[in-house]
Amino acid sequence: MDAGNGCSARALAACVVGGIVLGASVLALHLAGGPAAIPPLPLPPPIGALLRRRRRPVRVYMDGCFDMMHYGHCNALRQARALGDELVVGVISDDEIKANKGPPVTPLHERMVMVRAVKWVDDIIPDAPYAITEEFMNKLFNEYNIDYIIHGDDPCLLPDGTDAYALAKKAGRYKQIKRTEGVSTTDIVGRMLLCVRERSSDAHNHSSLQRQFSSGHGQKVDDTGSGTGTRVSHFLPTSRRIVQFSNSKGPGPDSRIVYIDGAFDLFHAGHVEILRLARELGDFLLVGIHTDQTISATRGRHRPIMNLHERSLSVLACRYVDEVIIGAPWDVSKDMITTFNISLVVHGTIAENMDFTEDDLHPYAVPMAMGIYRRLESPLDITTSTIIRRIVANHEAYQKRNEKKEASEKKYYEGKSFVNGE
Amino acid sequence: MAIGLLAFESHQGLWNSGYYSQLFGIGGVLITLTILMLSTGYFGGIGAPFAPYFWPYLGQVPKKRERKRPVRVYMDGCFDLMHYGHANALRQAKLLGDQLVVGVVSDEEIVANKGPPVLSMEERLTLVSGLKWVDEVVPNAPYEITEEFMNTLFNKYSIDYIIHGDDPCLLPDGTDAYALAKKVGRYKQIKRTEGVSSTDIVGRILLTFRQKDADTDLSVVVAEKSGEKSNDEVKSQLSHFLPTSRRIMQFSNGQAPSPGARVVYVDGTFDLFHAGHVEFLRSARQLGDFLLVGIYDDESIRDRRGCRPIMHLHERTLGVLACRYVDEVIIGAPWEVSKDMITTFNISLVVHGTVAEGNSAGEIDPYAVPKSMGIFQTIRSPKSITTLSVATRIVDNHEAYKKRNLKKKASEDRYYTQKKFVSGD
């Protein structure tokens, strides 16, 4: 019995020790293999949640009238986009603009075309309200998944004097960008209103409207209180701005390069559509923008309304444009075609000054002779003159609006300090 | 229990060896299986993360060894009247390697091969050294790359490739100046920059000379550049400079001033970008962290000075942008420095040089605002070169330049007649 018990005890002890050793070995091996085993395993919930959270893009919202889309609008949208991953743009309706600012120059559908064509725009909300009501703000946050509402550093006041973005600021869902200096719809409209006054009185003799307004040179406007322009700030194009607006890559080795040229003054929906069609004919769209002198010589001394750089940046902001020649020559020469490896030269059927057809100095004589010239049917029959005529037709209303705007601009610039941003 | 005891006593030998052996055997098998499974998983687990790193790791070794020695490229030129085309050529050359060594041809060699240079060797060295893409400069480079000099480049300067544009460079005897380098396979080509050349710039200045009256002073001579087309024989006007958005992008560093940066602003015409400009910009840059340069537009200059600049706005812009001391440029800056402009660009200091083209006496002071704000400073211009002094040198030697231009025009005509598209930037 004793011997039996002793044997059993020894056996048990051996089993227990063996089990412990075995267990230790298994545990050790498991731990050793642990790190290696993690990758093939499905992600633990915390990491998955983190990834899931990161996968959701930050969506920002910016609204505006975007009447007579210009470089400043584009730069604002570019900055807004830089604050998030996706940019949703609210385009205010015609009725709201009329109620708050005066009649719009371009109707909603044209403004929609313009905004959608900007490189940095992901989504559009038509008929956005001028004031962001609580109801609309909640709609932005819940239905459109907006994280932040964006606006420039200049105040946006409602007719009753209150801040249009007070609600968003209170909710902590507001972010500010730097206002783009020297360009505004009011300023551009002011140049054209001056044009009207010049035509009515021959006393004035300005060689170029844009020289006065955009570059700040030449004669000062005699009647500063005329309300035809907001003269406080001027557009100053920098090399860096051009970098920001440009695409980073050039044409590929076998790219089919399409060339289209023009003034592209008061960049409008007709320009967008013709550029879109031109882009579809090739892989790379090169746009030639004529100099101020060329346009004045061919279209009269009151053109262009915008200077070369304003026009260049407006065209560069268009998503269909790959590269721009700043100050392209009137004639399309063989050398130019060779230098840029142009495969096709196109021109729209709706364009200003089609008189060159009868001239000996046809600007497209060379591409025609080379068999690479093509006429495009312009989708929209808008021209720069169309835009100007709309303003002239309502010049009384615009003049009144400009006077009101000028007052608030003056107040803003007097209190202005440096704002960090691009 | 009894059965157990009986079995135990009866088969003690069997129990001692057989039973324990079986137990150990089973345990061993189990342990082995477990270890095998875990080991399999272990290796599998290790293999997964290990495999992706294996090839890159091997690839790193030769790459690292190779990467230690930078590829050095060499490009030479006269670089007389430095312009955008020179800068763009050097930018392309730099893209073909890691370090760019630039040979500046000596005054004597230029006289022997092309005619008198406008700028001195010292001035040309300053201009070339001031470019963003230049790492090293070899002064007194020969016009023709002899076998002896080529070996010096390969051995002493550790040059890998000699670079030149796609236009032919012929010696006075008509042979290719780069034949040797091509033969040994150490030559690479870049695309010639269209529409700009020293010959063209000299031609514009000479054009004004032809219209000169006996009584006219030199500033007006420079002014009447835009003459009749009947004077084409002094200009090689076959191609025109066409500035693109992408070119400006390539020349810019694209950086913004950091939050606390001290922004220094200088403005001017910067026509016929010369060594005086370079030294002035270098001095201005040392006064702050970010140098913003305002370049006047053509109309503004004509209004103020009564004459147009020799180079137009974009040619001047790219010339300034190519300078390594320049961070950003305002294309078409206003004459007057306004408070709004100072606020917008957060300018800390406005700088002006002591040697500059004069204004009209009765003009408004363009620096009135920065002066009243206490942020205006005048710095002594390191060199007394002005655009006018450079133009004067050309007019003084107009006969030699005219002859040279005619000769150059002939070869230019030949080149453009046969020109084909060359890919490259």
Side-chain angles (χ1 to χ4, degrees), chain A residues 178 233 237 326 335 339 416, chain B residues 31 191 239 243 331 340 344 419:
Chain A
K178 179 174 183 173
S233 183
I326 303 171
D335 174 61
T339 298
K416 183 187 166 186
Chain B
I31 293 175
K191 179 175 182 176
S239 185
I331 305 169
D340 173 61
T344 298
K419 183 186 165 186

Side-chain angles (χ1 to χ4, degrees), chain A residues 372-392:
Chain A
I372 60 171
Y373 175 78
R374 188 158 157 180
R375 289 282 296 271
L376 286 187
E377 187 75 31
S378 299
L380 296 178
D381 59 0
I382 309 168
T383 63
T384 305
S385 296
T386 306
I387 304 294
I388 294 176
R389 273 194 294 272
R390 294 179 188 170
I391 293 170
V392 171

